[in-house]
Amino acid sequence: MDRPPRRTDPRRRPRWYRQVGRRGWTAFAAAWGGYVLDGFDFVLITLVLTEVRAEFGLDAVQAASLVSAAFVSRWLGGMLLGALGDRYGRRAAMTASILLFSLGTLACGLAGSYGALYAARLVVGLGMAGEYSASATYVMESWPERMRGRASGFLISGYSIGTVLAAQVYSQVVPALGWRWMFYLGVLPALFALWMRRALPEAEDWEEAIAETAARPNPFRPLFTRPLRNAPAAYSPAGNAPDAGRPVEVFSAGRAALHLGLAAGAFGALLVLFTGRAGDAAWPLALFAAGALGTLAVRLGSPGHRVLYLALTVTVFAGFLYTWPIQALLPTYLKTELHYTAGQVRDVLFWAGFGTAAGCVLAGFTGDRFGPARAYALTLTASLAFVFPVFAVHDDLLLLGVLLFLLQATSFGISGLLPRYLGSHLPVERRASGLGFVYNVGALGGAVAPLLGARLAEGRPLGQSLALLTFGLSLLVVLLIGLDVPGRLHRLADRDPS
């Protein structure tokens, strides 16, 4: 006897991974591949830092500045490539970014001096900034709204996988061929990522925003224009364009010159600071750079998001300060204080990298379940239990690996929610440029972190310095994100111009 057909409950949704759809998974695969390459290329300098230092005769601060160099240029790359993504689409910005940091990686391998290597790292930083802003925005706008925590966490896991691959390659390549071949090999995955991106669909949110407004946004407009006094509000037939209801604006040569001067001055000041040439002018230069970048953030934020841009930037800065002492100087700590071999360093970084990847995946689910701010704060609080034990272990490789896995899963791994947290505060028409600028100016914390760790280590063991920085700054980020300080300040101080 034939059984009656099984009825499907119309209220039951398909499983979440089916709801993403083919288009969403295609977008994710291409962006994730770029993040793997991003992690592989960027971590190379931390792995070969001792070899580079020996070849070029660098001191500890000069060597650490090579890690910081990519952060010096990231804010500029985030702003430029983010604006490209807002105006011409996320795909164009993704392709440009991967070409930039792949060429920068090749130049690192060819560098014949400290100056040439530093310049190549600046190019890597430009490309990395665009990769973050364009790819993160692209994936989140291609996934359903209720699953964007997973999109954010899963995507950032690609970076940690790239660091694991780099550590595996390091143990095989550097002893046999030397440190330069690590950078030569770092170019190869770019061909795969470019192939993946050749026929990608555009992000749905961006396409819908452009279709509704019938105009392409210009995120740089506040830097080069001023409102025309006594002019009527701009008119849009659609009634919902970004310009609708706003005063007419005209080009201002004075305002353009001011902002270009601030950008050039900030870049120059950071360059002097992070190459150790500031001397007694270090504090004045640091204050000038902070003021210039803060002014640009206020201008880019426009009247409705000025305080928000500043608050988000400070939050990201603190986030990089707590994660990058370990990210940048862990290989140096393992090789110099614990005297681990290349194979042992590889094994420890394997545990740390997969801990980060696991944490990113977990963050995706917890972020969708509890909200990005609450999930971030609670998980980061749990990470504090593992900070000091990690640096108390010396001779037990397995125990050190397990503790690092747990620390990175709850500390660096939860930062997989950062794109979701930032993107939820920014409008679609300025999301890529806003996320790119806010994230990559805040990423200067990653430039400060290794230098700060190296400075602190001059008076105490490096491991102790890394533990103190990580613990103290993690507490600060718990407060900033857990209390949603940027959102609260935005609601108190900013006004929506519409």
Side-chain angles (χ1 to χ4, degrees), residues 217-238:
N218 182 5
F220 289 157
R221 181 178 59 192
L223 301 182
F224 301 102
T225 62
R226 61 176 176 81
L228 188 62
R229 292 183 179 180
N230 302 320
Y235 168 74
S236 169

Side-chain angles (χ1 to χ4, degrees), residues 24 36 38 42 69 77 86 123 136 169 198 227 267 287 305 341 348 352 384 388 403 424 485-486:
V36 172
D38 186 355
F42 189 77
D86 280 338
V123 177
V169 174
R198 76 193 191 286
F267 185 83
L287 291 174
H305 299 85
T341 65
V348 171
L384 299 177
F388 288 104
L403 288 173
S424 65
V485 172

Side-chain angles (χ1 to χ4, degrees), residues 4 32 66 92-93 128-129 157 207 214 276 307 324 327 343 369 436 447 458 487:
W32 190 82
L66 291 173
M128 283 190 64
S157 71
E207 285 187 328
V307 172
W324 273 93
Q327 288 297 110
R369 177 66 177 84
E458 292 176 357

Side-chain angles (χ1 to χ4, degrees), residues 102-129:
S102 296
L103 291 174
T105 298
L106 176 61
C108 287
L110 298 173
S113 66
Y114 165 75
L117 184 55
Y118 193 95
R121 294 287 299 160
L122 293 176
V123 177
V124 171
L126 288 172
M128 283 190 64

